[in-house]
Amino acid sequence: MTQLHLFYVFAALVTFCSVMVVGSRNPVTSAVFLVFDLFLLAGIYAMMEAHFVAAIQVLVYAGAIVVLFVFVIMLLNLEQESHGKVRVSIPDIVMMGITGLSFVIIAFLVARVPSMATVGEMTPEAIAAAGGNTYVVGMVLFTKYLWPFELASILILLAMVASIVIAKKDKAAKPGRRRTVNANQ
Amino acid sequence: MGLDLQQIQAFLDNEFAVQLIATAIKFAVVFAICIQVPPIMIWVERRAPALMQRRKGPNRVGFFKLRLWGLLQSAADAVKLILKEEIVPRGANKIFFQIAPIFGVIPALLIACAIPYGNDFQLFGYNIPLSIVNVDVGFLFILAVSSLGIYGITIAGWASNNKYSLLGSLRASAQMISYEIPLGMSLIPIVLIYGTLDLNQIVIGQSNLWNWGIITSPISFMIFFVCMFAETNRAPFDLAESEAELVAGFHTEYGSAKFALIFLTEYVVMFILSCLASTVFFGGWQIPFVPHDTLMQLIGGLHIPVLPYLLDLVGWGAPFLSLSLQEMGVHSLIASLIGVAVLFIKAGFFMWMYVWVRWTLPRFRYDQLMSLGWKFMLPVGLANIFVTAIIVAILNFK
């Protein structure tokens, strides 16, 4: 049962890193632990033989999104603001209670209700027989889930265009202002 | 002697143990090679411009009359770097300042695991691949792990508490993020053409000279070639450490062994990208016009009884004395090792290109760099994917 033991190691590390993300005072420390977190999650995916998802997880989340987090934190230089004393208020306690309760409920459901803990038809062997991870994911994305996939892409494109429109300075709005060379950059 | 053939046979029957030992040996060899790349490259990088500028370059360090064209200068530099005092600047974030070079070097050495240095070989009845990890998504693994290299640079610049370091690291990481996208896009046509994400399968697909990636997808190679330089922050894209503006960029405050580690990272990434370029576009371990099977047959027919004679000295090589390499079962191992040498020759050419370009072209301006990446490489890369996809679809249409 080496795989199970490895899973426990990864799970414990993921939990530790997640706690450190919310618990550490320095925002850069939080961001670095977030990277570890995402990387270890990719390790768990890889242990489930889902290599494609693992690689994409590292490529997109750890390699691109959190880099931008680190950028923003570094440029804003948030460190000075992080020395306030942590105070736990009543809403915080309520939220913690709700979170803990939901965790217990989910753990109970997974352990007790058989339909939530069964193995689906796409076992690692079935995927290997069907032509490998990437092939299976690609086939499902471009046949069964084609429309949701395309709609999601358009949504992301929309967000990109919207952010460019918002960031772009309007030339016509201020006719009296002298245009500088770098007005659009 | 303590060696017992029965015990050896029992050990060889355990596949897990054999693969574990093989992986450990591969790890050690690849790590040793990666460690040796920077000193040799630094030597090349000093002697090559000397050659181009008609001067001598470092040629003094040596012992007795043996000077080895100054090759020992690198060894002397390495010793000097390691023996220097470790300094952490005042006001720096101590933990991150120490960790940052390690953040850089781990991804660099991880990518080295996924390169197929040679074809799989058969030994003792087992199929042993010559890449350390043999994931079926080798391409994505390399792209994913190489994108983590940014953290080392970003955190190093931020933790130094120095404006030049911070500016240098911002430049470097913005540049690496920008050029990662065309780099990934230049590889997608290759995946489309060879129909696999497994790097070794791609090399097997390039069995002929006219099957090489550079012939089947030349535009991909051009994009990849430019991105190779930008990803490693090398000239003409070395704005991250442009001396006249930023002292030394993100590693201004680094010295001694930590600086050596940063240097190691830079050269290992260069070496890995060179290996990747030769793997994807220049047939990897394939020798042009000599298919791997032919090579195996050629080697298999040879009688080189050096190893049996050596074994005979120990006392149990006698049964091997009259056998050919194929009958001894080592011909595929030797063929694969020849493939490794071929790959390293090809990669060495790209390493030379790095030096050559550095001492030939002047530096870009930063806005030129960004507009080249986003306004030229990205659209060309997308168009390349589109056209390649259509052509592949037409060719596969039945």
Side-chain angles (χ1 to χ4, degrees):
Chain A
M1 293 308 278
T2 16
Q3 202 168 9
L4 191 64
H5 293 146
L6 266 179
F7 172 77
Y8 285 139
V9 172
F10 273 105
L13 282 172
V14 165
T15 318
F16 171 73
C17 290
S18 305
V19 170
M20 288 303 288
V21 170
V22 286
S24 61
R25 288 288 183 86
N26 187 339
V28 173
T29 317
S30 290
V32 169
F33 273 108
L34 191 58
V35 179
F36 286 153
D37 215 356
L38 296 164
F39 200 69
L40 291 165
L41 269 179
I44 290 180
Y45 292 148
M47 249 167 34
M48 296 157 144
E49 308 260 317
H51 297 138
F52 181 75
V53 183
I56 292 294
Q57 161 97 2
V58 175
L59 185 63
V60 174
Y61 285 99
I65 290 176
V66 185
V67 171
L68 297 181
F69 284 12
V70 174
F71 256 45
V72 173
I73 294 167
M74 271 168 43
L75 289 177
L76 292 181
N77 209 2
L78 285 174
E79 211 182 0
Q80 283 87 350
E81 298 170 19
S82 64
H83 291 299
K85 203 172 184 185
V86 179
R87 204 176 286 166
V88 183
S89 61
I90 294 170
D92 288 345
I93 294 169
V94 173
M95 286 311 291
M96 277 188 237
I98 291 172
T99 317
L101 197 66
S102 359
F103 175 74
V104 171
I105 290 170
I106 291 169
F108 179 77
L109 283 177
V110 170
R112 291 288 159 182
V113 183
S115 65
M116 288 195 75
T118 48
V119 179
E121 59 184 53
M122 275 309 185
T123 54
E125 293 79 26
I127 289 173
N133 257 299
T134 319
Y135 181 80
V136 170
V137 172
M139 283 311 277
V140 171
L141 271 187
F142 285 104
T143 53
K144 196 175 171 188
Y145 297 110
L146 179 64
W147 287 111
F149 181 61
E150 293 293 333
L151 283 176
S153 325
I154 288 174
L155 200 65
I156 292 167
L157 188 68
L158 216 66
M160 252 164 73
V161 173
S163 63
I164 291 171
V165 168
I166 291 170
K168 193 177 176 179
K169 281 177 190 155
D170 196 358
K171 281 181 208 165
K174 290 173 185 167
R177 193 168 145 262
R178 221 178 69 208
R179 271 168 59 192
T180 55
V181 182
N182 289 328
N184 291 330
Q185 284 169 6
Chain B
M1 301 292 286
L3 284 166
D4 185 6
L5 276 175
Q6 294 263 312
Q7 273 180 350
I8 294 172
Q9 195 58 48
F11 173 75
L12 289 179
D13 283 341
N14 186 351
E15 176 166 14
F16 180 73
V18 172
Q19 294 284 7
L20 196 69
I21 298 276
T23 308
I25 293 172
K26 284 183 285 185
F27 248 122
V29 171
V30 168
F31 186 69
I33 290 171
C34 285
I35 293 284
Q36 289 315 310
V37 166
I40 295 170
M41 278 313 290
I42 288 167
W43 176 72
V44 173
E45 213 143 17
R46 283 169 175 162
R47 296 288 290 189
L51 197 72
M52 291 174 194
Q53 297 162 352
R54 304 195 70 188
R55 52 189 175 82
K56 282 197 174 7
N59 64 351
R60 290 279 132 186
V61 180
F63 42 87
F64 307 123
K65 293 282 177 190
L66 201 62
R67 284 193 177 142
L68 297 172
W69 314 280
L71 197 55
L72 289 172
Q73 179 73 49
S74 302
D77 283 352
V79 171
K80 189 187 80 177
L81 269 179
I82 290 165
L83 291 180
K84 288 246 175 177
E85 186 189 355
E86 298 266 350
I87 294 170
V88 180
R90 197 190 301 161
N93 188 321
K94 285 198 180 56
I95 298 168
F96 281 121
F97 187 79
Q98 308 267 11
I99 291 179
I102 303 170
F103 273 2
V105 82
I106 288 174
L109 290 174
L110 266 182
I111 321 170
C113 298
I115 303 276
Y117 294 98
N119 200 6
D120 302 0
F121 62 89
Q122 282 79 37
L123 199 62
F124 310 126
Y126 298 114
N127 185 45
I128 300 175
L130 253 178
S131 57
I132 296 174
V133 286
N134 197 22
V135 281
D136 58 349
V137 288
F139 252 111
L140 288 173
F141 179 84
I142 287 178
L143 289 178
V145 176
S146 70
S147 67
L148 294 176
I150 298 172
Y151 287 106
I153 293 173
T154 318
I155 291 170
W158 174 79
S160 301
N161 194 28
N162 176 328
K163 59 186 172 189
Y164 299 119
S165 298
L166 186 65
L167 284 173
S169 79
L170 278 177
R171 277 188 181 186
S173 35
Q175 178 180 336
M176 282 169 80
I177 293 174
S178 306
Y179 277 84
E180 230 172 59
I181 298 162
L183 185 85
M185 287 191 167
S186 73
L187 294 174
I188 292 175
I190 298 291
V191 176
L192 290 172
I193 290 166
Y194 297 104
T196 174
L197 283 166
D198 188 337
L199 281 167
N200 201 32
Q201 291 299 322
I202 289 170
V203 178
I204 291 170
Q206 304 179 47
S207 51
N208 284 317
L209 195 60
W210 47 90
N211 277 350
W212 279 13
I214 188 167
I215 307 288
T216 53
S217 186
I219 297 171
S220 282
F221 173 68
M222 287 175 204
I223 299 174
F224 185 90
F225 190 63
V226 175
C227 293
M228 254 171 80
F229 289 87
E231 274 291 288
T232 43
N233 292 323
R234 292 276 303 186
F237 302 108
D238 61 341
L239 290 132
E241 43 197 89
S242 46
E243 300 86 356
E245 304 156 29
L246 294 176
V247 192
F250 66 91
H251 54 69
T252 304
E253 298 285 358
Y254 281 89
S256 71
K258 289 197 281 292
F259 179 73
L261 215 54
I262 287 174
F263 239 71
L264 175 74
T265 312
E266 190 179 323
Y267 282 98
V268 168
V269 172
M270 273 164 63
F271 177 63
I272 297 304
L273 282 177
S274 300
C275 282
L276 191 64
S278 6
T279 299
V280 172
F281 296 105
F282 287 86
W285 41 258
Q286 303 258 21
I287 307 171
F289 304 115
V290 184
H292 197 69
D293 292 338
T294 317
L295 183 68
M296 289 226 294
Q297 277 170 10
L298 271 173
I299 294 169
L302 291 178
H303 284 264
I304 307 175
V306 176
L307 188 67
Y309 278 125
L310 286 178
L311 288 176
D312 201 31
L313 293 179
V314 197
W316 43 284
F320 302 115
L321 270 176
S322 61
L323 298 182
S324 71
L325 290 179
Q326 178 155 23
E327 285 161 319
M328 281 163 63
V330 293
H331 65 301
S332 78
L333 169 68
I334 294 173
S336 292
L337 290 181
I338 290 175
V340 175
V342 170
L343 176 70
F344 283 170
I345 291 169
K346 289 172 181 172
F349 172 72
F350 282 102
M351 298 297 277
W352 169 251
M353 284 296 286
Y354 269 116
V355 179
W356 192 2
V357 167
R358 176 174 174 185
W359 295 100
T360 309
L361 296 179
R363 192 176 290 143
F364 271 74
R365 224 170 49 218
Y366 200 69
D367 61 320
Q368 290 174 330
L369 168 93
M370 281 294 156
S371 59
L372 177 72
W374 289 103
K375 292 181 184 164
F376 181 74
M377 305 289 254
L378 186 63
V380 169
L382 282 171
N384 188 25
I385 294 172
F386 190 67
V387 172
T388 313
I390 288 174
I391 293 174
V392 169
I394 290 170
L395 289 179
N396 289 346
F397 188 75
K398 290 185 185 88

